[in-house]
């Protein structure tokens, strides 16, 4: 059995709205299940976290994690949708993937998404910004 | 100043700062001191501290975080200091004119004496610019 | 233990992302390192979302001057990934040729600077002299020394002139010979070896945990090369080896880069041979991008460049995410800088090739008796090399 089939079987109904493309899988996971899915991807399958993308949509904020399986060149992209745009909160995956620390700080900086249990929830790019920005970088600034 | 400038023109010492460039202008500046172009024959020398410099080479669009630091560097420089702006980023905004993080006007932060346009300018263009500066100093 | 801190920066010109480092030291040993970035933030993603797809290719070229063709390649891959657009075979070879040429020039640049940091200015001048013909080749192929503007959705913008191929081949012959010589010199030099061996080690586990990419992780024994994994463009059609070295220290990173340059020259030669035979178009006309999302990546000289583009069917992206390789490589400093003497910090910081490094920096070291003295990082680094050189020469 292929790795990806095994993965989708193991995760079962934790995964919804799955989109398959050539060597790319996009799927939704809930905030509660995120850690489990990430744990399977990172520890069991040995995937590497490429990055995470924040997207603002009409229905809320989306975080799309990109896990790369380096042996087959496949991407697994779990997507977490946050309805609450004012105070977005997601579970941090830093306890599982150490390399996610900066990635999550960057998301906090751009979109104001707070990560629970993050060891150092600070701005990344706008730390000590001379204008003392209150808002996330991508909102409320005139160009 | 004419007397002083003439002495200065014989050997300009250059300090180079980058204010949010794409880095290519900086590489081309470094290229200048390697054997292919070798500007040291004009007496130009890249120095490691602003306190030794006569010319300040700046690149980039200056984002809001770095702008106060560049101002500080300019203030630390012994005067007279000549500011040479390298690249389209400095003279126009290049493709970053819509950026939310750049300063409105770079000339408010430091006065600029000479612009060298190009993205990045060819080393030959930079040499031409610097030679012009030397020509002006010589009167 | 009293830890003192040394600030470095922010005008530590690690230029792509000029940074502020704070080293916590105990005597001569670094116990912790903290980093702050954001000095170079220009809001590329935001600007790109206001531009059309074709325009954003030229915009991403200006993210970094050294990887100025890796970003466009990753960007067009992402757009092509949305619709599974195929590109003509001749365009594939041209893309690969330009990409590999960039790897050669970037690795040579790093080699030179690494030599500069440890006090080998001869190496610096020497290597940068061989870099100049590479830039000339770029000028022959694309018309510009940097920022080539070669990539388009569905192909490339400019063709390689068949009349120029013999000239290019001649330069490659020269480069191949010089690189073999350089590899020999690097491997045999006792000073380089004892100066860099065992310095700034990034272990296998750390490289995996921090998700490092490119030469940084490959020198620690982690395999992973986008060129092999995805085989996009002509990488499936040419022969080359993926180089993985086991130790994870600076010396291995140096050797790995030299070997990669040799591989790149090999790939370029094969591309040139093919370009002589294959005729045909270089650009497929793409009218429309349908709604959807695409991921594109490319092995830049520093690691994996990642672009994510989401389209809603109009002519501009609604989200464009860019992740440069240094973004994941820089946090590995936390692992590799701990426990090494201050003299080795500079070359360790430079070893991941954070785009381009450093002129001199004066910094303040507070020694045990707490009287401040000014020490220069570059000077410390060079003095150590000098000491090792004397020891080696003395023992002969
Ligand atoms: S002018 Fe062009 S090459 Fe120079 S820093 Fe700006 S974008 Fe880069």
């Amino acid at each position: 059995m292929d790795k990806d089939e095994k993965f989708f079987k193991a995760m079962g109904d934790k995964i919804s709205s799955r989109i398959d493309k050539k060597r790319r899988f996009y799927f939704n996971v809930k905030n509660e299940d995120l850690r489990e899915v990430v744990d399977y991807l990172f520890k069991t399958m040995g995937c590497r976290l490429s990055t995470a993308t924040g997207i603002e949509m009409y229905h809320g904020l989306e975080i799309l994690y990109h896990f790369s399986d380096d042996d087959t060149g496949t991407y697994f992209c779990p997507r977490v949708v946050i309805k609450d745009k004012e105070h977005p909160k997601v579970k941090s995956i830093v306890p599982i993937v150490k390399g996610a620390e900066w990635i999550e700080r960057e998301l906090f900086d751009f979109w104001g998404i707070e990560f629970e249990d993050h060891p150092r929830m600070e701005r990344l790019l706008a730390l000590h910004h001379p204008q003392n920005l209150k808002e996330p970088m991508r909102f409320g600034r005139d160009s | 100043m004419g007397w002083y400038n003439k002495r200065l023109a014989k050997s300009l010492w250059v300090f180079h700062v980058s204010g949010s460039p794409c880095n290519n202008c900086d590489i081309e500046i470094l290229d200048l001191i390697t054997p292919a172009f070798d500007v040291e024959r004009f007496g130009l020398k890249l120095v490691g501290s602003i306190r030794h410099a006569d010319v300040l080479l700046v690149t980039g669009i200056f984002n809001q975080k770095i702008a106060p630091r560049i101002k500080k560097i300019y203030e630390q420089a012994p005067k007279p200091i000549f500011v040479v702006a390298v690249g389209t980023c400095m003279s126009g905004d290049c493709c970053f004119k819509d950026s939310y993080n750049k300063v409105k006007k770079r000339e408010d932060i430091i006065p600029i004496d000479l612009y060298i346009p190009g993205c990045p300018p060819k080393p030959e263009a930079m040499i031409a610019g610097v030679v012009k500066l030397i020509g002006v100093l010589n009167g | 233990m009293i830890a003192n801190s040394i600030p470095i920066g922010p005008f530590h010109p690690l230029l792509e992302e000029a940074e502020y480092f704070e080293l916590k030291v105990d005597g001569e040993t670094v116990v912790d390192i903290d980093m702050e970035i954001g000095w170079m933030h220009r809001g590329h993603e935001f600007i790109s979302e206001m531009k059309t797809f074709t325009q954003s290719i030229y915009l991403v070229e200006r993210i970094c001057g050294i990887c100025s063709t890796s970003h466009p390649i990753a960007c067009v891959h992402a757009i092509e990934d949305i619709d599974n657009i195929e590109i003509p075979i001749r365009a594939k070879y041209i893309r690969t040729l330009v990409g590999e040429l960039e790897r050669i020039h970037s690795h040579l640049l790093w080699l030179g600077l690494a030599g500069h940091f440890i006090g080998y200015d001869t190496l610096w001048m020497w290597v940068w002299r061989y870099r100049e013909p590479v830039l000339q080749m770029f000028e022959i192929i694309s018309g510009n020394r940097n920022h080539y503007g070669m990539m388009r959705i569905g192909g490339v913008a400019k063709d390689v002139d068949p009349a120029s191929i013999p000239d290019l081949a001649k330069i490659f012959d020269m480069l191949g010979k010089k690189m073999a010589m350089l590899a020999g010199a690097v491997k045999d030099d006792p000073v380089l070896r004892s100066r860099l061996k065992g310095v700034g080690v990034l272990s296998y586990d750390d490289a995996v945990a921090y998700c490092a990419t490119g030469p940084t992780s490959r020198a620690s024994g982690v395999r992973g090369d986008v060129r092999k994994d995805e085989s996009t463009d002509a990488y499936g059609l040419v022969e080359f080896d993926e180089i993985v070295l086991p130790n994870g220290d600076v010396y291995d990173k140096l050797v790995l880069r030299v070997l990669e340059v040799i591989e790149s020259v090999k790939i370029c030669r094969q591309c040139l041979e093919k370009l002589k035979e294959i005729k045909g178009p270089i650009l497929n006309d793409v009218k429309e991008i349908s709604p959807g999302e695409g991921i594109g990546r490319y092995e830049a000289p520093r690691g994996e460049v990642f672009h994510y583009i989401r389209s809603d069917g109009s002519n501009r992206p609604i989200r464009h995410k860019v992740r440069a390789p240094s973004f994941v490589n820089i946090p590995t400093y936390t692992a590799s800088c701990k426990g090494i003497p201050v003299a080795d910090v500079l070359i360790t910081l430079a070893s991941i090739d954070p785009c381009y490094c450093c002129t001199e920096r004066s910094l303040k070291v507070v020694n045990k008796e707490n009287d401040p003295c000014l020490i220069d990082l570059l000077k410390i680094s060079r003095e150590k090399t000098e000491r090792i050189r004397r020891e080696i020469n003395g023992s002969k």
Side-chain angles (χ1 to χ4, degrees), chain B residues 36-52:
Chain B
F37 296 100
D38 194 17
V39 285
E40 283 187 17
R41 65 202 147 116
F42 299 116
L44 266 77
K45 192 169 170 248
L46 227 49
V47 291
S49 163
I50 181 67
R51 306 251 182 217
H52 303 155

Short mmCIF file of all heavy atoms in Angstrom, two decimals, chain B residues 36-52:
data_model
loop_
_atom_site.label_atom_id
_atom_site.label_comp_id
_atom_site.label_asym_id
_atom_site.label_seq_id
_atom_site.Cartn_x
_atom_site.Cartn_y
_atom_site.Cartn_z
N ALA B 36 38.34 41.49 -11.40
CA ALA B 36 37.80 41.82 -12.72
C ALA B 36 37.63 43.32 -12.91
O ALA B 36 37.82 43.83 -14.01
CB ALA B 36 36.48 41.11 -12.92
N PHE B 37 37.26 44.04 -11.87
CA PHE B 37 37.03 45.48 -12.03
C PHE B 37 38.01 46.32 -11.24
O PHE B 37 38.42 47.39 -11.68
CB PHE B 37 35.59 45.83 -11.65
CG PHE B 37 34.61 45.19 -12.57
CD1 PHE B 37 33.95 44.04 -12.20
CD2 PHE B 37 34.38 45.71 -13.82
CE1 PHE B 37 33.07 43.42 -13.08
CE2 PHE B 37 33.50 45.10 -14.70
CZ PHE B 37 32.85 43.95 -14.33
N ASP B 38 38.33 45.86 -10.05
CA ASP B 38 39.43 46.43 -9.28
C ASP B 38 39.39 47.95 -9.17
O ASP B 38 40.18 48.65 -9.80
CB ASP B 38 40.76 45.98 -9.89
CG ASP B 38 41.91 46.27 -8.94
OD1 ASP B 38 41.62 46.48 -7.75
OD2 ASP B 38 43.06 46.28 -9.38
N VAL B 39 38.47 48.48 -8.37
CA VAL B 39 38.42 49.93 -8.24
C VAL B 39 39.51 50.48 -7.34
O VAL B 39 39.63 51.68 -7.20
CB VAL B 39 37.07 50.42 -7.69
CG1 VAL B 39 36.01 50.34 -8.72
CG2 VAL B 39 36.70 49.73 -6.42
N GLU B 40 40.26 49.58 -6.74
CA GLU B 40 41.32 50.12 -5.86
C GLU B 40 42.33 50.92 -6.64
O GLU B 40 43.07 51.71 -6.09
CB GLU B 40 41.97 48.98 -5.07
CG GLU B 40 41.07 48.56 -3.93
CD GLU B 40 41.68 47.56 -2.98
OE1 GLU B 40 42.91 47.41 -2.99
OE2 GLU B 40 40.93 46.94 -2.23
N ARG B 41 42.33 50.73 -7.97
CA ARG B 41 43.26 51.55 -8.77
C ARG B 41 42.87 53.02 -8.78
O ARG B 41 43.67 53.88 -9.10
CB ARG B 41 43.35 51.00 -10.19
CG ARG B 41 42.06 51.10 -10.97
CD ARG B 41 42.04 50.10 -12.12
NE ARG B 41 40.69 49.64 -12.34
CZ ARG B 41 40.02 49.86 -13.47
NH1 ARG B 41 40.59 50.49 -14.46
NH2 ARG B 41 38.78 49.44 -13.60
N PHE B 42 41.61 53.35 -8.43
CA PHE B 42 41.23 54.76 -8.29
C PHE B 42 41.43 55.24 -6.86
O PHE B 42 40.98 56.33 -6.50
CB PHE B 42 39.76 54.97 -8.64
CG PHE B 42 39.43 54.60 -10.05
CD1 PHE B 42 38.56 53.56 -10.32
CD2 PHE B 42 39.98 55.30 -11.09
CE1 PHE B 42 38.26 53.22 -11.62
CE2 PHE B 42 39.69 54.96 -12.39
CZ PHE B 42 38.83 53.92 -12.66
N GLY B 43 42.02 54.40 -6.03
CA GLY B 43 42.19 54.79 -4.64
C GLY B 43 40.97 54.51 -3.79
O GLY B 43 40.93 54.86 -2.62
N LEU B 44 39.97 53.86 -4.37
CA LEU B 44 38.78 53.55 -3.58
C LEU B 44 39.03 52.31 -2.74
O LEU B 44 39.66 51.37 -3.20
CB LEU B 44 37.59 53.28 -4.50
CG LEU B 44 36.71 54.47 -4.79
CD1 LEU B 44 37.38 55.35 -5.79
CD2 LEU B 44 35.38 54.03 -5.29
N LYS B 45 38.50 52.34 -1.54
CA LYS B 45 38.71 51.20 -0.68
C LYS B 45 37.46 50.99 0.16
O LYS B 45 36.88 51.96 0.64
CB LYS B 45 39.91 51.48 0.22
CG LYS B 45 40.40 50.29 0.95
CD LYS B 45 41.74 50.58 1.60
CE LYS B 45 42.09 49.45 2.52
NZ LYS B 45 42.08 49.78 3.91
N LEU B 46 37.05 49.74 0.29
CA LEU B 46 35.90 49.44 1.13
C LEU B 46 36.39 49.34 2.57
O LEU B 46 37.31 48.57 2.85
CB LEU B 46 35.31 48.10 0.68
CG LEU B 46 33.80 48.01 0.50
CD1 LEU B 46 33.31 49.16 -0.34
CD2 LEU B 46 33.41 46.71 -0.12
N VAL B 47 35.80 50.10 3.47
CA VAL B 47 36.24 50.04 4.85
C VAL B 47 35.15 49.46 5.73
O VAL B 47 33.98 49.42 5.36
CB VAL B 47 36.66 51.42 5.39
CG1 VAL B 47 37.92 51.88 4.72
CG2 VAL B 47 35.56 52.42 5.25
N GLY B 48 35.55 49.03 6.92
CA GLY B 48 34.63 48.30 7.78
C GLY B 48 33.88 49.15 8.76
O GLY B 48 33.00 48.67 9.45
N SER B 49 34.21 50.42 8.85
CA SER B 49 33.52 51.24 9.83
C SER B 49 33.17 52.58 9.21
O SER B 49 33.96 53.15 8.45
CB SER B 49 34.40 51.44 11.05
OG SER B 49 33.90 52.52 11.80
N ILE B 50 32.02 53.09 9.58
CA ILE B 50 31.57 54.37 9.03
C ILE B 50 32.48 55.49 9.48
O ILE B 50 32.63 56.51 8.82
CB ILE B 50 30.11 54.61 9.43
CG1 ILE B 50 29.56 55.92 8.87
CG2 ILE B 50 29.95 54.62 10.94
CD1 ILE B 50 29.44 55.93 7.40
N ARG B 51 33.17 55.30 10.62
CA ARG B 51 34.02 56.36 11.15
C ARG B 51 35.23 56.64 10.27
O ARG B 51 35.89 57.64 10.41
CB ARG B 51 34.52 55.98 12.54
CG ARG B 51 33.41 55.62 13.46
CD ARG B 51 33.21 56.67 14.51
NE ARG B 51 32.16 56.27 15.42
CZ ARG B 51 31.30 57.10 15.95
NH1 ARG B 51 31.33 58.38 15.64
NH2 ARG B 51 30.39 56.69 16.78
N HIS B 52 35.55 55.70 9.38
CA HIS B 52 36.70 55.90 8.51
C HIS B 52 36.31 56.38 7.12
O HIS B 52 37.16 56.56 6.28
CB HIS B 52 37.48 54.59 8.34
CG HIS B 52 37.93 53.99 9.62
ND1 HIS B 52 38.19 52.65 9.77
CD2 HIS B 52 38.14 54.55 10.83
CE1 HIS B 52 38.55 52.42 11.01
NE2 HIS B 52 38.52 53.55 11.68
#
